[in-house]
Amino acid sequence: MRAKFSKQAMQTITDIGTLIVSTPGTCGGCPRIAGHRITVHNIAIDFNAGMKPEEIVVQRPQLMLAQVYAALAYYYANQEVIYTEIAAEIEEYDRLEAEYTAKRQWAKFVCI
């Protein structure tokens, strides 16, 4: 028996290659979910923290489940690069936090 598909169902097909984009000047040029400022890094961090894709969609209701899976597919296809970029971001965050903390400590000392 042959399955029948309506023309309407065929029109809703999404090209998965359009779900992840990189735009210079937006999110530092990092790969992100098209139409959003949510990067593949954000999704990978949530996923590696133990969140399931369905939980990520609940946390970020503006996303569709397909977009989260596309971000995860991109992450796994480029895991080493993404991991290195995330590690560099964390290192920069730690450096900035230490710099800010040192300035606050100095300001307290000067004001005493």
Side-chain angles (χ1 to χ4, degrees):
M1 184 171 176
R2 187 177 168 121
K4 294 183 180 183
F5 297 99
S6 70
K7 287 184 181 181
Q8 185 178 19
M10 296 298 282
Q11 293 174 351
T12 62
I13 293 175
T14 301
D15 176 1
I16 62 170
T18 64
L19 297 177
I20 303 298
V21 297
S22 295
T23 309
T26 302
C27 297
C30 292
R32 61 184 172 83
I33 296 174
H36 301 278
R37 295 180 64 83
I38 299 171
T39 65
V40 170
H41 299 157
N42 298 139
I43 301 300
I45 289 167
D46 288 347
F47 185 73
N48 286 326
M51 292 181 74
K52 295 177 180 165
E54 294 80 7
E55 294 170 328
I56 295 170
V57 171
V58 169
Q59 179 187 0
R60 302 171 186 270
Q62 69 273 34
L63 298 181
M64 297 181 306
L65 190 56
Q67 292 170 309
V68 173
Y69 276 110
L72 291 172
Y74 188 98
Y75 166 65
Y76 279 111
N78 301 284
Q79 193 169 9
E80 190 172 317
V81 172
I82 300 286
Y83 179 80
T84 301
E85 291 172 351
I86 291 171
E89 289 173 6
I90 291 170
E91 187 176 303
E92 178 66 3
Y93 170 81
D94 290 344
R95 185 190 69 74
L96 291 170
E97 183 180 39
E99 183 180 307
Y100 175 76
T101 302
K103 286 180 181 178
R104 283 195 62 177
Q105 292 298 334
W106 178 251
K108 281 183 182 179
F109 178 73
V110 172
C111 293
I112 295 179

